[in-house]
Amino acid sequence: MPTDDEELVQQLIQIENELDRALEHEDFERMNMLLEQRELLLKMLSKISEELANSIIEADKIRLEKMKNFMESIKNQAIQARTSQNALKSYSNQQEQSNLDERK
């Protein structure tokens, strides 16, 4: 019969897998929920193996790098959207000015 810690470790491993899936789907709300669950499980464990702890730390480093890349992509998209917005405003202003000039 598995011990409580063994069951918690299995739940922890499942959460780790779900974290990776949530990140792949860019579901950051789910990631936050899973991270909170993971924190609770870690507090409930009487002991965690060094191997599991290192595995979690390494997985989190990879996740952080992926998130940095995602945020950089969003930043670049925002810059492009701002540039497009400014171009559209400029074009609209030119059109309005041209219409005013035609009325004179």
Side-chain angles (χ1 to χ4, degrees), residues 3-17:
T3 66
D4 286 344
D5 273 2
E6 288 173 353
E7 289 176 21
L8 292 174
V9 167
Q10 288 306 313
Q11 290 177 23
L12 192 58
I13 291 169
Q14 182 180 353
I15 286 175
E16 287 297 303
N17 291 330

Side-chain angles (χ1 to χ4, degrees), residues 6-101:
E6 288 173 353
E7 289 176 21
L8 292 174
V9 167
Q10 288 306 313
Q11 290 177 23
L12 192 58
I13 291 169
Q14 182 180 353
I15 286 175
E16 287 297 303
N17 291 330
E18 289 181 36
L19 277 168
D20 290 331
R21 279 194 296 277
L23 180 58
E24 288 301 314
H25 292 101
E26 298 174 0
D27 188 349
F28 299 109
E29 187 174 339
R30 177 141 177 79
M31 280 190 72
N32 289 335
M33 182 198 64
L34 290 166
L35 288 167
E36 288 173 6
Q37 288 178 359
R38 182 178 79 174
E39 182 180 12
L40 292 174
L41 283 176
L42 288 170
K43 288 179 180 177
M44 292 169 59
L45 280 172
S46 60
K47 181 181 175 187
I48 185 170
S49 73
E50 186 175 336
E51 181 182 346
L52 181 56
N54 287 337
S55 170
I56 290 171
I57 290 168
E58 285 305 310
D60 281 352
K61 286 179 183 177
I62 292 168
R63 290 179 191 121
L64 278 171
E65 192 59 36
K66 287 181 179 180
M67 289 179 76
K68 284 180 188 175
N69 292 337
F70 177 76
M71 289 187 298
E72 185 67 26
S73 173
I74 290 174
K75 177 182 144 193
N76 290 336
Q77 288 177 13
I79 290 169
Q80 290 301 317
R82 175 68 65 175
T83 301
S84 296
Q85 181 184 37
N86 290 338
L88 287 170
K89 283 181 181 178
S90 174
Y91 178 74
S92 291
N93 290 340
Q94 287 175 0
Q95 285 299 102
E96 287 175 11
Q97 188 61 41
S98 175
N99 289 341
L100 287 175
D101 289 343

